[in-house]
Amino acid sequence: MKIVFCASEVVPFAKTGGLADVAGALPIALENQGQEVIVVMPGYKAVQNVKNIKSIRLNDKISYSIIGKNVKVYFIENDKYFNRDGLYGDKNGDHPDNLERFSYYCKEALNLLKEINFKPDMIHCHDWQSGLIPVYLKTTYSQDQFYKNIRTMFTIHNIGYQGLFSRQEFPKLGLDWSLFTMDTLEFYDKINILKGGLVFSDLITTVSATYSKEIQTKEFGFGLESILLKRRESVSGILNGLDYSVWDPATDKFIAKNYSLKTVSDKGKCKEDLQKACKLPLEKDIPLFGIVSRLAEQKGFDLLAADIDKICKLKAQLVILGTGDLKYHQLLEGMVKKYPKVISLNLKFDDCLAHKIYAGTDIFLMPSKYEPCGLGQLISLKYGTIPLVFKTGGLADTVNKDNGFIFDKYDPAELLKTIKKSIEVYKDGKKWPDLRFKAMKCDFSWAESAKKYIELYGKKAK
Ligand code: ADP
């Protein structure tokens, strides 16, 4: 099959979260299973800064690089839209012209296919930034023979981000006003791009089985539950895999000492290295907790904030890496001042430090309120760092009492109780190695998930 991946961030070119990991790894897993795949993404300023990867110019507005054996990643360039800092926004918030930026990207992605004469069986779109592709395909491009019979799949990586814009901006899309209705792109008098993607695509997927059910409910659907319920025959969930060529403590280039199941005691050297790097006391026998995350309420920071004082008084240490909401920056900065020997706070995006945290900590905190799939817990399992999670979405599908700690009532007291329990187990010389063994044995490689996608690409829409 010929498949086009359309995603607004792709590892190793540009990343703000898990979408980039998926869009960089799944195409290669599909290629390994005999599929012909290309990827199309915006040519951000960040892309030009990626070293060690050659880029080849196709014309004045498109260049490409190769990942895997021969997966071409095409960059849609436009100085006005993409030659700036921040993929979606900067310190002042979202870029004000995001609607124009991503509608340009969507149209140019479709134009590119014709230009390079790549007629795919399936265009696989990801998140709202590529949500207009199924819309344009079924409207603006529907009379063009080249685009006939191309099917679309839309994958929701997080339904909380929908691409909402004021109705005044609608003319910028170049679509007829008849598409601004409750059944199409209109959402409480605003434009909702994600909704357009869901309505116009042939198939809808999300990144875990549990989340695919959750988003059909009022609690998790962010207002789009009725659309998803209506299309439930076309909705399915496929768990994300993990790219073990990037995330494996046995080969990881960023960590102080490589280790595997057989040499897991070397993990201690990574702990010491992390404590040094984070200027924490070199305590090897007290548990070191880690967080690598966007600092957002979704990630459970409201629970952590509620009891952070009590958590800091436990006999433990905590390394946090992330950026996000100002209120959590401020709260955590206050805590660091109060407990400098307990917390290390790193308010930045830092891939190298992320690797060191997965390797050097003992327990990975991820009490997300909702979590479509989650990569942090999959990475930490591989590194023998025990995940502590709330039972939701992909966390519920990948963590259980045999490989981690899981609580099922979203409440600060439950989180605190579970943290205390994890500290008890950490001290248990038999239970702890057993838990770590089972965690490291888990296998979430892409091959299985890629197989499921291939099966689905061939399925008819209902
Ligand atoms: P999200 O909802 O943000 O996509 P995921 O758990 O699916 O959450 O994926 C987050 C990815 O981004 C993981 O690979 C995680 O290690 C990485 N990440 C998040 N914040 C940072 C940061 N501040 N520095 C480095 N990597 C980060």
Side-chain angles (χ1 to χ4, degrees), residues 15-19 21 158 247 292-294 298-299 321-323 348-351 354 358 366 371 374-376 379:
K15 168 169 170 172
T16 69
L19 166 62
D21 294 291
N158 189 336
W247 299 107
V292 180
S293 175
R294 286 183 286 114
Q298 183 218 327
K299 298 292 183 181
L321 169 64
T323 56
K348 57 182 175 175
F349 196 94
D350 183 338
D351 202 29
Y358 288 115
M366 198 166 172
E371 192 59 77
L375 289 175
I379 302 171

Side-chain angles (χ1 to χ4, degrees), residues 207-211 239 372 377 392-400 406 444:
V207 288
S208 69
T210 296
Y211 193 61
L239 198 68
Q377 86 282 17
T392 185
L395 297 174
D397 291 353
T398 53
V399 179
N400 54 56
I406 185 157
F444 293 103

Side-chain angles (χ1 to χ4, degrees), residues 73-302:
V73 181
Y74 289 91
F75 308 109
I76 306 288
E77 295 166 1
N78 182 319
D79 277 352
K80 181 171 143 212
Y81 292 139
F82 301 123
N83 192 11
R84 59 174 88 161
D85 292 329
L87 306 195
Y88 314 124
D90 56 25
K91 59 180 184 334
N92 302 315
D94 288 349
H95 293 313
D97 55 351
N98 273 347
L99 183 85
E100 285 158 274
R101 296 172 76 227
F102 289 103
S103 63
Y104 175 83
Y105 157 68
C106 288
K107 279 188 209 147
E108 288 302 315
L110 286 170
N111 293 341
L112 169 71
L113 301 183
K114 193 167 176 184
E115 192 171 335
I116 59 173
N117 196 23
F118 188 90
K119 183 171 168 141
D121 300 285
M122 176 62 81
I123 303 181
H124 188 166
C125 304
H126 300 263
D127 277 355
W128 77 262
Q129 292 85 351
S130 54
L132 287 166
I133 289 175
V135 182
Y136 287 133
L137 196 65
K138 295 248 167 75
T139 57
T140 322
Y141 290 72
S142 66
Q143 297 309 312
D144 187 327
Q145 275 306 317
F146 179 84
Y147 298 94
K148 278 258 147 51
N149 304 323
I150 298 179
R151 288 150 38 73
T152 48
M153 176 185 284
F154 189 88
T155 296
I156 305 166
H157 294 261
N158 189 336
I159 205 163
Y161 298 86
Q162 303 186 348
L164 292 173
F165 300 92
S166 96
R167 66 179 289 149
Q168 278 74 33
E169 292 205 69
F170 192 79
K172 293 179 186 164
L173 296 176
L175 293 167
D176 195 272
W177 273 105
S178 64
L179 290 169
F180 192 73
T181 65
M182 252 174 72
D183 293 329
T184 50
L185 285 152
E186 192 254 345
F187 185 75
Y188 300 99
D189 207 34
K190 287 194 160 165
I191 308 165
N192 186 324
I193 305 290
L194 182 71
K195 183 174 172 185
L198 298 181
V199 171
F200 283 90
S201 55
D202 296 304
L203 297 168
I204 299 169
T205 72
T206 184
V207 288
S208 69
T210 296
Y211 193 61
S212 77
K213 297 283 177 289
E214 287 173 344
I215 52 176
Q216 296 178 39
T217 66
K218 200 164 185 299
E219 193 186 348
F220 293 97
F222 282 86
L224 293 178
E225 58 277 5
S226 51
I227 300 275
L228 290 161
L229 260 179
K230 208 150 105 193
R231 296 214 57 200
R232 63 181 171 276
E233 299 283 323
S234 306
V235 179
S236 48
I238 300 177
L239 198 68
N240 283 337
L242 188 62
D243 185 350
Y244 289 123
S245 70
V246 178
W247 299 107
D248 182 350
T251 52
D252 194 316
K253 291 185 187 66
F254 293 109
I255 63 179
K257 177 88 183 152
N258 289 118
Y259 62 91
S260 63
L261 246 181
K262 283 199 193 107
T263 55
V264 72
S265 59
D266 283 339
K267 187 170 160 60
K269 299 204 176 70
C270 298
K271 182 170 179 175
E272 191 183 326
D273 175 60
L274 180 66
Q275 286 167 325
K276 268 189 201 148
C278 293
K279 301 192 172 58
L280 287 171
L282 302 183
E283 302 260 18
K284 66 178 183 8
D285 293 326
I286 69 168
L288 177 54
F289 287 79
I291 294 179
V292 180
S293 175
R294 286 183 286 114
L295 304 186
E297 190 166 315
Q298 183 218 327
K299 298 292 183 181
F301 280 90
D302 53 340

